[in-house]
């Protein structure tokens, strides 16, 4: 019999599947071009040509037993980790070496390794709403509890006053995600410094360190020259999780890394525990061929201009139509105020106009909806009259 603990996930999954199936059914009935699907955060820009070239070259040039073999260290290839460290040092003026880097099975695998390393059962993890809903599931994997720090609309910067009140003896970590899914908000250096100041003070007060887990799969997707500060430089008790899922459009290849700075509390034990955590969790090591590919393509990024064009077209189109929304500075999402009190009802009404979007309550923030603009530019342009008609209909 299936574990009882899995049944809430099974029930939740049928809602996701229903949405998937509905999208496919609508595309069949009305034609793909007449369905405006903004529901998924799946990159719409193909991986850079360098990725496929790197795969071919590696297969031709390198020893098959090595590139398809187990890694000597579960943390990943030493030279790949050194390449990642030097890349970060060039960009951020840090002084990492291979020792600080652990290759992971995407950001999701990395977050689970980080949590296995840092959390004991009963510990609490705080996350600023709205947040990527899987965080709660990941914390539960390790017997920890995720608590949502209330959102601070309309700007959706982290609600530091609420965070401070919520920190207690059980608090072990705070997850941050900038550029953010689902709001597109980027946290400024000033905000992060204030967060660090609170965490330092509270760590002292409760007698153990509170770690930041900085989830950064959208780091490169930042627009208008906005600065995305490197969090370890502001708060050393930070573990950074990165993946190439979005920046190289490789979500199916499951490749990313964690950064453990030397300055963090109990560094030597933490890095050893993380190395073992990947094995204990059954990942063993990150996909070996993809580690090599990531290292060869370390300077590459996706076509950010394409996402930026989508961002501007959708944001400007929706504002012009009368919707309310904070202008996103990063990632590929817009978090729009639901014109109906019930965000689920608004999503249902949108579907009548062939628009597929996700209710904010899926990100612990009811009253809003998320639009993923990683779609064809034409889909955005064609969708705008339908968004206008939808709002007109609601307002009567
Ligand atoms: N974190 C956030 C905020 C995400 O949006 C996603 C995926 O959409 C992930 C983590 C998981 O990324 P990956 O596919 O690299 O595991």
């Amino acid at each position: 019999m299936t574990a009882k603990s899995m049944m809430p996930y099974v029930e939740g999954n049928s809602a996701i599947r229903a949405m998937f199936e509905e999208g496919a059914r609508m595309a069949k009935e009305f034609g793909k071009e007449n369905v405006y699907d903004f529901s998924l955060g799946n990159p719409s820009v193909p991986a850079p040509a360098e990725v496929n070239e790197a795969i071919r070259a590696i297969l031709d040039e390198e020893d098959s037993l090595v590139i398809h073999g187990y890694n000597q260290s579960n943390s990943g290839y030493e030279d790949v980790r050194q390449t990642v460290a030097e890349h970060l040092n060039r960009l951020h003026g840090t002084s990492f070496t291979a020792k600080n880097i652990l290759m992971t099975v995407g950001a999701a695998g990395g977050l689970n390794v980080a949590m296995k390393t840092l959390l004991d059962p009963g510990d609490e993890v705080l996350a600023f709403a709205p947040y990527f809903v899987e965080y709660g599931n990941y914390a539960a994997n390790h017997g920890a509890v995720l608590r949502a720090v209330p959102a601070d609309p309309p700007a959706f910067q982290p609600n530091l006053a609420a965070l401070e009140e919520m920190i207690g003896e059980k608090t072990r970590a705070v997850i941050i995600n900038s550029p953010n899914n689902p709001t597109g908000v980027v946290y400024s250096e000033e905000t992060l410094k204030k967060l660090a100041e609170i965490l330092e003070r509270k760590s002292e007060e409760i007698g153990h360190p509170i770690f930041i887990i900085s989830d950064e799969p959208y780091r490169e997707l930042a627009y208008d020259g906005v600065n995305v500060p490197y969090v370890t430089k502001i708060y050393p008790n930070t573990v950074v999780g990165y993946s190439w899922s979005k920046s190289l459009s490789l979500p199916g290849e499951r490749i990313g890394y964690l950064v453990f700075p030397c300055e963090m509390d109990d560094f030597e034990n933490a890095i050893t525990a993380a190395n073992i955590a990947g094995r204990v969790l059954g990942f063993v090591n990150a996909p070996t061929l993809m580690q090599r590919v990531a290292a060869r393509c370390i300077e590459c990024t996706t076509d950010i201009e394409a996402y930026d064009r989508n961002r501007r077209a959708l944001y400007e189109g929706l504002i012009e139509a009368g919707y309310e929304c904070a202008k996103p500075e990063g990632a590929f999402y817009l978090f729009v105020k639901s014109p109906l009190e019930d965000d689920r009802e608004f999503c249902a009404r949108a579907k009548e106009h062939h628009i597929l979007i996700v209710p904010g309550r899926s990100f612990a923030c009811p009253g809003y909806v998320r639009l993923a603009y990683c779609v064809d530019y034409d889909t955005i342009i064609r969708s705008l009259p339908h968004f206008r008609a939808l709002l007109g209909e609601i307002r009567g």
Side-chain angles (χ1 to χ4, degrees):
M1 206 173 98
T2 308
K4 282 194 201 71
S5 60
M6 282 307 291
M7 290 319 289
Y9 294 105
V10 172
E11 280 142 27
N13 194 47
S14 55
I16 296 169
R17 210 173 46 228
M19 188 154 131
F20 240 58
E21 283 166 6
E22 183 64 2
R25 186 197 64 74
M26 285 171 68
K28 211 165 163 189
E29 185 176 345
F30 305 110
K32 204 168 170 273
E33 68 286 0
N34 296 315
V35 179
Y36 315 104
D37 189 348
F38 297 98
S39 63
L40 286 180
N42 213 0
S44 54
V45 174
E50 288 94 327
V51 169
N52 286 358
E53 285 160 16
I55 294 172
R56 286 191 201 97
I58 294 164
L59 292 177
D60 286 345
E61 291 164 19
E62 299 195 25
D63 181 342
S64 168
L65 284 175
V66 175
I67 52 168
H68 300 306
Y70 286 122
N71 280 157
Q72 265 183 351
S73 159
N74 292 329
S75 298
Y77 288 118
E78 174 97 14
D79 60 328
V80 170
R81 289 158 53 217
Q82 186 63 30
T83 301
V84 170
E86 285 169 14
H87 176 67
L88 293 174
N89 297 344
R90 266 193 309 279
L91 290 177
H92 308 298
T94 44
S95 43
F96 299 129
T97 66
K99 195 175 175 186
N100 302 104
I101 311 294
L102 185 140
M103 305 306 292
T104 64
V105 181
L111 289 170
N112 273 284
V113 167
M115 289 191 194
K116 182 81 176 160
T117 303
L118 300 176
L119 304 179
D120 277 315
D123 282 349
E124 283 182 1
V125 181
L126 301 177
F128 297 102
Y131 60 80
F132 180 56
V133 71
E134 301 289 3
Y135 294 157
N137 300 333
Y138 300 161
N141 286 344
H142 311 289
V145 178
L146 185 113
R147 294 177 67 209
V149 181
D152 190 11
F156 290 109
Q157 284 290 327
N159 189 339
L160 297 179
L163 173 87
E164 186 158 3
E165 291 215 338
M166 286 175 73
I167 292 175
E169 292 202 340
K170 290 185 181 167
T171 309
R172 184 58 72 173
V174 176
I175 305 183
I176 60 172
N177 167 225
S178 166
N180 184 266
N181 174 11
T183 63
V185 163
V186 174
Y187 298 173
S188 69
E189 180 147 354
E190 194 193 337
T191 301
L192 291 168
K193 279 184 175 160
K194 282 186 192 153
L195 171 64
E197 190 271 316
I198 292 171
L199 296 183
E200 272 155 21
R201 187 157 34 79
K202 286 286 177 181
S203 296
E204 189 93 348
E205 232 172 86
I206 62 178
H208 65 73
I210 302 168
F211 294 95
I212 289 181
I213 299 174
S214 185
D215 179 28
E216 306 187 355
Y218 301 97
R219 167 163 282 281
E220 274 80 23
L221 300 184
Y223 312 111
D224 300 333
V226 67
N227 175 34
V228 185
Y230 210 72
V231 186
T232 61
K233 289 169 71 182
I234 298 171
Y235 189 69
N237 269 332
T238 298
V239 176
V240 177
Y242 181 83
S243 100
W244 284 278
S245 293
K246 318 286 171 167
S247 63
L248 285 184
S249 299
L250 296 176
E253 302 298 351
R254 316 305 304 134
I255 185 71
Y257 61 82
L258 288 173
V259 181
F260 290 80
C262 292
E263 297 77 19
M264 77 181 282
D265 216 81
D266 205 19
F267 167 74
E268 289 294 341
N269 279 333
I271 192 78
T272 308
N275 176 294
I276 297 164
R279 199 185 77 210
V280 170
L281 291 170
F283 304 134
V284 183
N285 56 241
T288 44
L289 173 59
M290 282 302 137
Q291 290 187 47
R292 283 261 175 269
V293 173
R296 286 208 188 203
C297 299
I298 199 80
E299 302 290 345
C300 292
T301 45
T302 188
D303 180 4
I304 292 162
E305 287 302 312
Y307 292 128
D308 191 15
R309 189 162 82 128
N310 286 1
R311 171 184 76 120
R312 282 183 277 117
L314 189 60
Y315 173 76
E316 282 157 24
L318 292 182
I319 295 294
E320 214 173 278
Y323 289 90
E324 289 174 47
C325 167
K327 189 170 185 182
E329 293 183 303
F332 40 47
Y333 307 104
L334 239 73
F335 206 52
V336 178
K337 189 160 172 46
S338 169
L340 292 172
E341 205 180 316
D342 184 338
D343 48 333
R344 271 179 308 201
E345 192 188 331
F346 178 62
C347 291
R349 293 282 292 273
K351 206 166 77 184
E352 290 169 12
H353 290 257
H354 303 178
I355 296 169
L356 302 178
I357 51 182
V358 182
R361 68 189 57 223
S362 303
F363 304 91
C365 191
Y368 289 79
V369 292
R370 188 194 78 172
L371 281 64
Y373 57 81
C374 39
V375 297
D376 285 346
Y377 181 70
D378 284 353
T379 301
I380 292 177
I381 300 304
R382 278 187 281 106
S383 73
L384 289 176
H386 300 275
F387 275 108
R388 219 170 287 128
L390 169 64
L391 192 60
E393 183 189 283
I394 285 170
R395 291 198 173 150

